[in-house]
Amino acid sequence: MENDLLDEVRQFGAAFVDTPIDVRVEVSDRVRVSVTVGDGTREFSCNAPQGDRTEVKRLIKRFAKHSLYTALSDISGVRLPWGSLTGIRPTKLAYAYLSEGGRADGIAEYLSRTFSVRSDRAEIVQRIIETQRRALPDDLTGAVDLYIHVPFCNGRCDYCSFPSADINAKGADRLLDGYTDALIKEIGIVKRYMSDRGLRILSVYIGGGTPSVLGEEDISRLLEAVDCRGAEFTFEAGRADSLTAGKIDVMKNGGVTRICVNPQSLNDATLARMGRRHTSADFYEAYSLAASAGLSINTDIIAGLDESAEDFERTADGIAALSPDNVTVHTLSRKRASLLADTDPYCPDIERMTEYAFRRFGDYEPYYLYRQKNMAGNLENVGFCKRGTECINNITVMEELVPVFACGAGSISKRISGGVIARYASPKDVGLYIAELDERTEKKLLFFDGA
Ligand code: SF4
C-alpha cells in the first residue's frame, strides 16, 4: 500500500515534503486507520468490507488512501479536484458503481462521497457516462478496433514521450519506405485473421507519431490495405505542417471519416518554444483543407504549456470560433521520456485554464476522460464532442471495451476475455520491427488465440 499512499501525499506537491507522516491500518470487524502528520493524529474507521480476498484488500486500500487524503486536505486546507483518486480512471469507478446497482444520476454524488472528488469534476464524469452509454452501439459482440501506428514525426515536440523517429534524420527516408511495406504486410495478415474469425471492425485509428508525414502514395497504399469503408476511421495528422490538399484527397477517397489536426496552442511563440515546427497560420490552413473535404475534425489543445493563462484562453477562443466536431483539452503531463521531464511542473494558472476551456466548450458534451502521472495540477484530459460526433474509438479504447488489433512498431495489442485484459507489445525499434515482422505477427495472432 506504501506506493499508493505516497502517491496520495505527492498530490499535495511540496506541502508535506518535510513532514513525518505515519499511516497505520488495523482490520477486525472494522477497518481503523490512524494518520499521524507531524504531532497530530486523526482516526478514521468503517465497517470491514466483505467479498473475496482481492476485493477486500482493494477496498481497505481505498479507505486508507481516502483517510490519508482527508487528513492532509484538512491540515493544508487544500481540496484537490479529484480528491483521493490516483492511478485509476474515474470513469472505471463510475461503471463499477453502476454494475453494483448504482443509479446513473447518482454517479457524481457517489464520487464526491466516496473519494471526495470535487463536484465540478464528479459532474463531468456523470455526463461522460451518459454520453458514452448513448453513443456506444448496443451490441459489441465480435467487434474489434484496428490500430495502426506510424512512429515518425517532423521533429520532436518538447513534451512528447512517444518513441517516434524524426523524418529529417539521416537514413529516415529508407526506413520510412521499408516501414510502410512492412506495415501493409502486417495489416493484410491481421485482416485475414479477423475475417477468418468473423470479427467486425468497429473503428480504425491510424496514429503515431504523425502518420500524415507519409507521402501521398504511401498513404494511399496504406488505406488500400486497411480498406474499411463504413467503419469509423480516424487519421491523425497531428502536425499541421504535414498536411497537403493532395493528402487530404487521398484520405477522403480511402475511407477516412475523421481527422485530428492539432494546434496544441495558437500562440506562435509557444509553438516555437515547444519545438513544434509549424505556426498557427499553418494550423488554420490545414484545418480549412480538412473542413472543405467534409471530414469530421478533432483538435487537441494543451493547458499548462509555457505560456500565460491569457494565451491559453486565446487558443480556446480560436478553436471555439472554428467549431470543430471534437475538441480534446489536455493538461500538460511532464513525462519521464520527454524533454520537459526535469522542468518545474508547477503551473499556478492551470485550474483557471481548464475551467475556462470547460466553459468555452460548454455547448459540447464531454465524452471521454483520462488522467496521467505528473499532470499539471493533477488534473485530466477531457474529450468534448458535438452530440452525435463522438469518436467511438476513444471510448472503446479508454474504457477497454473491445479487443484492439494493433499493427506497427511500438504498437500495443489488447486482448479482452472474461473481463481480463492482456497486452502484446510490438518492438519499438523500427529496424527490429521490420526484421522480425513474420515471426512477431504470428506470435501476436497466437496471443489473440489465447495461446
Ligand atoms: S507530433 Fe505528437 S508524436 Fe510527434 S513529436 Fe509531437 S507530440 Fe510527439
Side-chain angles (χ1 to χ4, degrees):
M1 202 182 292
E2 197 172 318
N3 282 337
D4 292 281
L5 295 174
L6 277 172
D7 279 347
E8 209 61 66
V9 179
R10 280 191 205 106
Q11 290 211 97
F12 288 84
F16 295 98
V17 161
D18 297 322
T19 315
I21 298 176
D22 186 49
V23 180
R24 287 175 192 275
V25 182
E26 278 176 32
V27 184
S28 54
D29 54 334
R30 301 208 32 101
V31 181
R32 292 178 208 284
V33 179
S34 69
V35 181
T36 305
V37 182
D39 297 334
T41 298
R42 285 169 163 75
E43 308 279 352
F44 303 86
S45 71
C46 68
N47 287 332
Q50 306 295 317
D52 67 33
R53 200 177 144 76
T54 316
E55 179 64 1
V56 166
K57 272 175 84 175
R58 193 174 62 82
L59 292 172
I60 291 173
K61 183 171 80 178
R62 178 186 289 180
F63 183 66
K65 280 178 68 180
H66 190 246
S67 302
L68 176 59
Y69 169 79
T70 308
L72 299 181
S73 176
D74 284 352
I75 293 166
S76 62
V78 173
R79 237 189 119 205
L80 297 169
W82 289 101
S84 60
L85 287 188
T86 61
I88 183 159
R89 280 192 318 278
T91 49
K92 193 170 177 196
L93 291 168
Y95 277 115
Y97 164 75
L98 290 177
S99 73
E100 284 156 16
R103 287 161 47 117
D105 61 0
I107 290 171
E109 190 275 329
Y110 163 74
L111 293 174
S112 294
R113 174 171 37 88
T114 317
F115 304 99
S116 298
V117 175
R118 229 168 51 191
S119 61
D120 55 343
R121 263 46 186 193
E123 273 152 28
I124 284 184
V125 177
Q126 183 167 308
R127 288 179 62 201
I128 286 172
I129 302 297
E130 195 184 311
T131 311
Q132 291 188 347
R133 293 173 89 189
R134 200 198 58 246
L136 283 170
D138 291 335
D139 185 9
L140 290 174
T141 318
V144 298
D145 287 330
L146 175 61
Y147 175 73
I148 293 152
H149 194 62
V150 181
F152 292 91
C153 282
N154 182 12
R156 187 158 183 84
C157 310
D158 285 8
Y159 52 82
C160 183
S161 63
F162 302 117
S164 77
D166 187 344
I167 51 161
N168 308 301
K170 203 169 159 219
D173 282 4
R174 234 175 330 111
L175 205 55
L176 201 54
D177 284 346
Y179 186 71
T180 313
D181 291 341
L183 198 50
I184 287 170
K185 184 172 179 193
E186 188 185 10
I187 293 167
I189 298 170
V190 165
K191 279 201 69 186
R192 256 194 315 281
Y193 174 94
M194 292 194 285
S195 151
D196 289 349
R197 280 154 184 79
L199 301 172
R200 76 191 152 92
I201 297 176
L202 184 65
S203 72
V204 184
Y205 198 106
I206 303 189
T210 308
S212 45
V213 295
L214 296 175
E216 274 177 41
E217 204 188 310
D218 279 347
I219 294 177
S220 172
R221 291 196 302 134
L222 196 58
L223 298 182
E224 227 169 85
V226 175
D227 187 24
C228 276
R229 277 157 218 280
E232 173 187 281
F233 195 158
T234 300
F235 199 106
E236 209 172 279
R239 299 261 292 242
D241 50 353
S242 62
L243 263 184
T244 61
K247 289 184 191 180
I248 292 205
D249 270 354
V250 172
M251 289 175 201
K252 181 83 183 163
N253 295 331
V256 170
T257 57
R258 180 175 179 271
I259 189 169
C260 301
V261 190
N262 302 327
Q264 313 301 7
S265 168
L266 289 176
N267 179 8
D268 287 340
T270 308
L271 292 172
R273 269 200 297 281
M274 290 296 125
R276 287 181 71 89
R277 296 183 184 163
H278 66 84
T279 61
S280 54
D282 294 330
F283 162 74
Y284 279 114
E285 200 182 317
Y287 186 97
S288 119
L289 287 173
S292 329
L295 293 169
S296 182
I297 304 177
N298 171 72
T299 59
D300 283 3
I301 58 174
I302 302 178
L305 292 173
D306 183 13
E307 61 180 5
S308 68
E310 289 77 13
D311 287 332
F312 175 78
E313 288 168 7
R314 270 192 294 278
T315 294
D317 290 346
I319 296 299
L322 292 171
S323 186
D325 281 346
N326 299 172
V327 182
T328 310
V329 180
H330 291 266
T331 302
L332 181 65
S333 165
R334 285 175 158 75
K335 301 206 187 93
R336 249 185 281 154
S338 80
L339 295 169
L340 298 182
D342 297 325
T343 56
D344 183 2
Y346 183 62
C347 175
D349 289 326
I350 193 67
E351 284 216 39
R352 169 179 160 180
M353 293 180 187
T354 53
E355 267 149 35
Y356 185 85
F358 292 177
R359 268 201 314 280
R360 205 69 186 75
F361 301 108
D363 293 345
Y364 285 64
E365 295 184 358
Y367 78 103
Y368 77 104
L369 178 150
Y370 63 103
R371 298 175 70 212
Q372 294 166 295
K373 282 203 163 169
N374 306 323
M375 296 186 97
N378 291 305
L379 296 180
E380 67 285 300
N381 302 318
V382 183
F384 292 91
C385 64
K386 290 182 180 167
R387 186 179 264 246
T389 67
E390 303 81 7
C391 171
I392 296 297
N393 182 277
N394 281 334
I395 302 177
T396 51
V397 168
M398 245 1 115
E399 307 304 340
E400 303 186 308
L401 298 176
V402 300
V404 180
F405 284 77
C407 301
S411 67
I412 297 177
S413 294
K414 223 185 271 176
R415 184 181 74 200
I416 303 178
S417 96
V420 179
I421 294 162
R423 292 175 172 78
Y424 181 91
S426 295
K428 288 180 182 165
D429 182 272
V430 171
L432 191 64
Y433 164 76
I434 296 172
E436 296 185 354
L437 180 72
D438 292 338
E439 187 193 327
R440 300 262 188 174
T441 308
E442 194 178 327
K443 270 194 190 157
K444 177 159 60 193
L445 297 181
L446 285 171
F447 158 82
F448 275 107
D449 281 336

